Amino acid sequence: MKKSMIIVLAMLLVLSVGVVNAGAVELRVYSMFSGADPASGVYEELIEEFKAEHPEVEIVDESATLDESVKVRIENDFASGNEPDITMYFTDSQAKPIVESGRVTPLDEILANSPEWKNGFLDSVLEQVKYSDGNIYALPITGFYEGLIVNLDLFEEHDVKIPETKEELFAAVETFRANDIVPMAAGLGMTPHYNIEHSILKVGGAAAHDAGIADEINPMWVDGLNHMQELYEADAFQKDTLTQDWSGARQLFKQGRAAMLVEGSWAIADAQNEGANRVTIVPYPKVGENGNQSDLIAGFTSGMYLSKEAYNDDEKQEAVVELLKHLTSKEAIKKIAEANGGLPAADVTPAGLSKPYQDGLEMFKNADHVSLPIDAQIQRPAWQTLVDGVAYIVSGRRSAEDILETVREIELQTR
C-alpha cells in the first residue's frame, strides 16, 4: 500500500474518532462515594460498567467527600444553574435549597413507567425520602444506623460491661479513666453531632427527640445536653475534645487509645483496629427514665437527584435516565451495601459482611423505634448554632436553655 494512501486512511480514522467524540453525550455526576468512603471503589466500578456498555456517553465524575464546603458548592451550583446532571444529596430538611430551586425532576412518573426498577426499592424507603409536597425527587441507595462503637479488646481487658444504662456508662468511664484510657472519643468543639442526638434520644425518648424545636423547647432537650456536660465533667472525653473534630476522635479510637465512639455505620471501617471482629456497635445506653435502650438513630437521608434540564434535553434524556437506573439498580444497591455496611434501599441481603456490620444490621432489626437525626428535622442554620453551642454548654460558659432559645429563634426565622 502506498505511503500516501496510508496517511489518508489514518487521517480518516482520526476524523471518524473525532466525529464520535464530538457527538458524545456528556453527563456530569456528583456522589458522596469518594476518598476514604468504603463504597468509593464499587461506585467507580459501576461508572466504568456503564461507560463500557454506553461508549457514546462521556461521564464527568465530580464525586467528593461531602463536607461543609462541598455542600455550599452544590447549593450554589443549583442556585446558578450549574448543577450536575445527577447529584447525590440529602433528602431531609437539607434538601430544601435543591428541591425549591426548581431544577430537579420529580421521579414518580419515571418510576411508574419502569415498574421493574421501581419494585427494586423497598416501599418504606421510598416513602421516607418523599419531599414535603409528596413527590419523590431523589432515589436512595443505602441508609445508615448510628450507635456506640466499642473497642472489645479494652472492655475485655479491663473487665468492663458494655453499658446499657446510665450507671453502667459512668462506671465504664470511671474504670477506663483510672487506667489512663480515654473512655469516649469525641469532637465536642467542632463535630458533636452524634453525641447531641443520642444524648437527647436516650434521655428524653423518641417522642421528645423527634419533636423538633419550633413549637417549644422540650425540657428533655435541655436534660440531654446537660447529660453531655455531665460526661464532660466526669472526664469522659479526651483532653482536647473542644478543639478536635470527628476525624481526630475517630483516629484516637482507631489507635486503641479510646474505648468508645459515638458514630454511625459509615465510620465502622475506619474505626476498626487490626482485627475487624474486635470492634462492634451497640445502642447508646438508656440514660433517662423516658429513654429506651433499643431506640436508634437511623434511616435513609440521601439519594440521587435528576437535573430537570438534563431530563428535558432530548439528547441527554435517555442516557441520563439509564445512568440513574444503573446507579440505583437492585444489583448496585446490594454491591454498595456490601462495601459500606449500610442499610440497603432494596430488598437484598448483603453478603460477606464482617462481624461489626452484622451486629449493626441486627441492632437495626431489633430497634423498637427508629428516628432520623436532628439535623434532618431542623434547618441547617439552627442546627449549626446548636453544634457550635455544645462547647459552651459542657464547659459551663452558657446554659443549655440559653443555647436552645437562640436555636429556636433561628429555626423560626428560617423555616
Side-chain angles (χ1 to χ4, degrees):
M1 186 179 293
K2 293 183 179 180
K3 184 176 180 181
S4 59
M5 186 176 293
I6 294 175
I7 293 173
V8 170
L9 289 172
M11 291 178 66
L12 288 172
L13 179 62
V14 170
L15 287 172
S16 67
V17 172
V19 169
V20 171
N21 289 340
V25 175
E26 181 180 283
L27 300 178
R28 292 170 53 214
V29 185
Y30 166 78
S31 85
M32 305 175 192
F33 301 128
S34 181
D37 190 294
S40 60
V42 170
Y43 170 76
E44 290 171 5
E45 290 174 7
L46 291 170
I47 292 292
E48 290 304 316
E49 286 174 7
F50 185 85
K51 288 165 66 175
E53 294 170 4
H54 300 82
E56 77 284 1
V57 179
E58 293 184 5
I59 296 178
V60 179
D61 186 9
E62 301 178 358
S63 298
T65 301
L66 190 64
D67 56 20
E68 290 302 318
S69 64
V70 175
K71 289 180 185 178
V72 171
R73 186 196 80 196
I74 290 172
E75 291 181 7
N76 286 343
D77 280 348
F78 273 89
S80 63
N82 186 43
E83 71 280 357
D85 301 303
I86 293 177
T87 302
M88 187 179 186
Y89 203 63
F90 297 112
T91 57
D92 50 33
S93 64
Q94 298 176 81
K96 184 176 180 180
I98 300 299
V99 175
E100 298 190 6
S101 71
R103 302 192 67 83
V104 291
T105 302
L107 300 172
D108 305 76
E109 184 176 345
I110 301 173
L111 286 167
N113 291 332
S114 301
E116 184 178 352
W117 179 35
K118 180 180 180 180
N119 292 338
F121 297 96
L122 292 167
D123 291 339
S124 59
V125 174
L126 290 181
E127 188 66 31
Q128 190 177 77
V129 299
K130 281 184 178 179
Y131 194 63
S132 56
D133 63 6
N135 288 317
I136 296 172
Y137 291 96
L139 294 174
I141 297 176
T142 56
F144 66 94
Y145 49 83
E146 299 177 13
L148 187 70
I149 302 177
V150 299
N151 182 318
L152 292 172
D153 289 328
L154 292 178
F155 272 84
E156 291 176 9
E157 180 183 347
H158 296 280
D159 194 27
V160 177
K161 182 180 184 299
I162 294 177
E164 297 181 3
T165 66
K166 179 179 181 179
E167 293 72 25
E168 291 172 353
L169 175 61
F170 279 86
V173 167
E174 184 177 353
T175 299
F176 287 124
R177 183 53 70 188
N179 286 278
D180 201 28
I181 296 165
V182 174
M184 185 180 292
L188 295 189
M190 299 174 69
T191 48
H193 304 51
Y194 318 113
N195 297 81
I196 292 173
E197 55 205 29
H198 282 86
S199 295
I200 293 174
L201 176 66
K202 293 310 181 84
V203 167
H209 175 277
D210 299 350
I213 199 169
D215 294 336
E216 62 177 354
I217 296 175
N218 193 304
M220 293 295 99
W221 282 45
V222 175
D223 292 347
L225 295 175
N226 285 338
H227 167 65
M228 296 173 64
Q229 183 183 30
E230 192 176 0
L231 283 170
Y232 181 81
E233 292 176 346
D235 211 12
F237 308 109
Q238 71 270 29
K239 299 297 183 183
D240 56 354
T241 185
L242 297 185
T243 58
Q244 273 199 341
D245 63 5
W246 63 269
S247 60
R250 194 184 293 180
Q251 187 66 20
L252 191 67
F253 182 92
K254 184 177 180 178
Q255 293 169 350
R257 295 163 57 199
M260 296 176 280
L261 177 71
V262 184
E263 269 266 20
S265 50
W266 59 84
I268 292 175
D270 192 45
Q272 290 175 162
N273 289 321
E274 293 299 320
N277 292 342
R278 302 309 302 158
V279 171
T280 192
I281 185 167
V282 299
Y284 192 89
K286 173 183 175 179
V287 179
E289 288 301 316
N290 294 320
N292 185 319
Q293 167 61 13
S294 72
D295 286 353
L296 294 182
I297 308 290
F300 294 80
T301 56
S302 67
M304 294 285 190
Y305 290 85
L306 175 60
S307 160
K308 183 175 289 186
E309 183 172 337
Y311 184 67
N312 291 337
D313 186 324
D314 291 339
E315 293 184 359
K316 283 187 175 183
Q317 185 183 92
E318 183 178 353
V320 76
V321 170
E322 285 303 310
L323 178 56
L324 183 62
K325 287 182 178 180
H326 183 71
L327 294 175
T328 60
S329 69
K330 197 171 182 178
E331 294 74 20
I333 288 171
K334 184 174 185 289
K335 289 178 181 179
I336 289 178
E338 288 171 347
N340 66 14
L343 303 173
D347 185 14
V348 296
T349 302
L353 296 181
S354 63
K355 185 65 163 53
Y357 290 115
Q358 294 175 25
D359 294 344
L361 290 178
E362 191 66 23
M363 178 181 72
F364 177 77
K365 292 176 184 177
N366 292 330
D368 286 336
H369 180 86
V370 173
S371 295
L372 287 174
I374 291 175
D375 67 348
Q377 303 176 45
I378 67 176
Q379 299 303 309
R380 187 191 298 175
W383 170 249
Q384 190 60 51
T385 301
L386 179 55
V387 166
D388 295 341
V390 166
Y392 292 93
I393 293 169
V394 299
S395 60
R397 288 176 286 171
R398 290 181 66 182
S399 69
E401 293 91 340
D402 184 26
I403 294 292
L404 288 172
E405 284 288 355
T406 303
V407 172
R408 183 168 183 266
E409 290 174 7
I410 294 172
E411 175 71 359
L412 291 172
Q413 292 169 5
T414 55
R415 281 172 72 89

